[in-house]
Amino acid sequence: MNIQIKTQGAAATRPLAGKVSLVTGSTSGIGLGIARGLAEAGSAVVLNGLGIASEITRTREQIAADFGVKAGYSPADMTRPSSITEMIDVTLAEHGRFDVLVNNAGIQHVAPLEQFPADKWDAILAINLSSAFHTTRAVLPSMRRNRFGRIINIASAHGLVASPYKAAYVAAKHGVVGLTKVTALETAEDGITCNAICPGYVYTPLVEAQIDSQAKAHGISRDKVIRDVLLAQQPNKRFASVEELGALTVFLASEAAASITGIALPVDGGWTAH
Ligand code: NAD
């Protein structure tokens, strides 16, 4: 009786023990929050993204110390398909399996269509959309062999609706939602699920910097910037947290979510309910 209770407790707190997860773009912001969530749930994690080497090493060490899991890092550039496939090959060689792939790396550029720089369009499409195609096709053979896999694509509310001046971002994020559906259909009988998370505004260091700079630029208070500028579209007037996205990712990666596949789940405080 006691043993059964202990086992259930361990499974409930460490539902991803023994699993291996890779999160692209996880040296900061949402990706880092998701990587920490997966590690807390017991999964070994491989980080990826740009940044200062010593800070990335500190982040890895912190995750390993906080959660008692292996925390690796790949410097793969998400604009380079060969670098992406190498990252997947190295992860498989080092860990021997691949369970959870989170396609999170992303960048943004805002400009009217006629002035939108072509190189920014290419970079956004490469990092926000094509990288997910390259990682997904590279992990599928191993996931199919194990008859288990979870692919979680971090899209955006902009994967469901548009805003002006964000042509490349909106096109890429709508593409991510489409790729999610196709991946779900092609893997449905193999124990693999693929879902997209579509956040509205999430509180990250970049958002924090925007609050101060917009307050100075417009000569208005931080509260006014948050309510009337940044969260103008978001009915609940609150930022989602990276911890909330981490918890949702852990749920989608768990056995409890085995029948959820092909969805684009808004986490946007009602934005896309308009
Ligand atoms: P962020 O800038 O904090 O993180 C982006 C990550 O991507 C970083 O780790 C960065 O190093 C990495 N990256 C950028 N270019 C790369 C490249 N060429 N190769 C490898 N890694 C690269 O941003 P964030 O706000 O945490 O955004 C993460 C994801 O969430 C993005 O896809 C973004 O579109 C999406 N998103 C963010 C919000 C938000 O409010 N912050 C809302 C909706 C969706």
Side-chain angles (χ1 to χ4, degrees):
M1 180 63 120
N2 278 346
I3 290 168
Q4 198 182 6
I5 289 166
K6 266 188 192 159
T7 309
Q8 282 174 348
T13 52
R14 307 279 279 180
L16 303 181
K19 304 277 194 240
V20 176
S21 306
L22 183 146
V23 185
T24 69
S26 48
T27 48
S28 72
I30 294 171
L32 179 54
I34 288 174
R36 287 185 59 84
L38 291 165
E40 187 174 19
S43 177
V45 291
V46 178
L47 306 178
N48 156 259
L50 314 176
I52 299 162
S54 58
E55 283 177 13
I56 294 170
T57 302
R58 242 197 329 275
T59 303
R60 288 172 59 184
E61 288 170 355
Q62 191 71 54
I63 291 176
D66 287 350
F67 307 117
V69 297
K70 281 189 188 165
Y73 168 69
S74 164
D77 180 347
M78 290 303 108
T79 63
R80 296 185 51 229
S82 60
S83 166
I84 293 171
T85 41
E86 191 188 332
M87 170 179 75
I88 304 296
D89 290 346
V90 169
T91 303
L92 268 168
E94 279 179 8
H95 294 270
R97 57 182 297 125
F98 205 119
D99 301 289
V100 181
L101 166 67
V102 182
N103 289 306
N104 167 79
I107 58 167
Q108 172 67 286
H109 185 81
V110 179
L113 266 170
E114 301 94 309
Q115 281 113 50
F116 210 97
D119 62 333
K120 294 284 184 204
W121 170 274
D122 289 343
I124 290 174
L125 268 285
I127 296 168
N128 298 25
L129 174 59
S130 300
S131 72
F133 162 73
H134 295 295
T135 53
T136 298
R137 69 205 297 254
V139 298
L140 280 182
S142 156
M143 287 183 173
R144 284 193 206 276
R145 270 196 305 278
N146 295 343
R147 299 201 63 75
F148 181 87
R150 296 286 189 265
I151 300 172
I152 296 153
N153 295 326
I154 307 305
S156 164
H158 282 120
L160 304 169
V161 295
S163 296
Y165 314 125
K166 296 184 175 174
Y169 189 82
V170 170
K173 294 298 188 182
H174 275 67
V176 167
V177 171
L179 175 66
T180 301
K181 292 177 183 174
V182 174
T183 307
L185 293 179
E186 290 191 19
T187 58
E189 291 192 56
D190 296 329
I192 299 167
T193 68
C194 180
N195 295 293
I197 296 176
C198 299
Y201 264 97
V202 182
Y203 187 75
T204 63
L206 279 186
V207 168
E208 174 56 37
Q210 274 185 52
I211 298 171
D212 277 339
S213 67
Q214 297 251 6
K216 273 191 202 123
H218 299 294
I220 54 177
S221 70
R222 279 176 58 91
D223 277 359
K224 205 163 166 52
V225 170
I226 292 169
R227 280 192 70 83
D228 300 343
V229 181
L230 295 180
L231 298 182
Q233 303 280 5
Q234 206 153 300
N236 70 343
K237 303 296 175 195
R238 80 177 274 280
F239 295 108
S241 70
V242 300
E243 289 78 13
E244 287 163 25
L245 293 181
L248 176 57
T249 301
V250 168
F251 170 69
L252 289 174
S254 73
E255 288 295 343
S259 288
I260 300 175
T261 195
I263 64 162
L265 181 62
V267 182
D268 64 2
W271 175 347
T272 53
H274 272 127

